[in-house]
Amino acid sequence: MAITLTDAAADRVRTFMDNRGKGIGLRLAVRTTGCSGMAYVLEFADELDQTDVVFEDNDVKVIVDPKSLVYLDGTELDFGKEGLNEGFKFNNPNVKDECGCGESFKV
């Protein structure tokens, strides 16, 4: 089981964490929503829950709850810019289908 980050994603997370001035890492989760069923959730983590699973890649801790890990195992988090748009991209091998807007997915 693993969650990884590209160099670009790790650099962006470290920049956010430095600007924020606190936190232990990035929390990655899924929630039920959208037209395809599930959506990614990214937020800063200031503490660990007892059941959290922690991955460290490129000096960034990624914290995942066990229920989300079932859907996220093997995911690579990337960050990119296309024109005026920039954001994180999830390269998730578990995804079977995505909605047209790219906001939700099915496994």
Side-chain angles (χ1 to χ4, degrees):
M1 296 188 130
I3 306 291
T4 58
L5 292 94
T6 64
D7 291 341
D11 288 344
R12 191 64 172 165
V13 171
R14 281 193 297 272
T15 298
F16 280 139
M17 296 289 289
D18 289 346
N19 290 341
R20 187 171 183 255
K22 65 177 182 174
I24 59 170
L26 182 70
R27 183 172 295 281
L28 176 58
V30 295
R31 64 183 161 109
T32 304
T33 188
C35 48
S36 289
M38 303 186 117
Y40 297 105
V41 178
L42 278 176
E43 55 192 14
F44 295 111
D46 293 327
E47 57 188 44
L48 290 175
D49 291 335
Q50 211 171 24
T51 59
D52 283 338
V53 180
V54 179
F55 300 95
E56 188 161 348
D57 191 26
N58 284 321
D59 295 323
V60 173
K61 288 182 179 154
V62 179
I63 298 125
V64 183
D65 67 89
K67 290 180 183 177
S68 294
L69 186 55
V70 172
Y71 306 105
L72 296 171
D73 185 31
T75 297
E76 176 190 61
L77 184 61
D78 192 10
F79 182 83
K81 296 181 180 183
E82 292 182 29
L84 297 175
N85 297 320
E86 65 179 24
F88 288 101
K89 180 179 180 191
F90 302 88
N91 299 315
N92 185 343
N94 304 300
V95 170
K96 303 292 186 234
D97 194 20
E98 294 178 311
C99 69
C101 64
E103 295 294 320
S104 61
F105 65 96
K106 288 183 194 177
V107 291

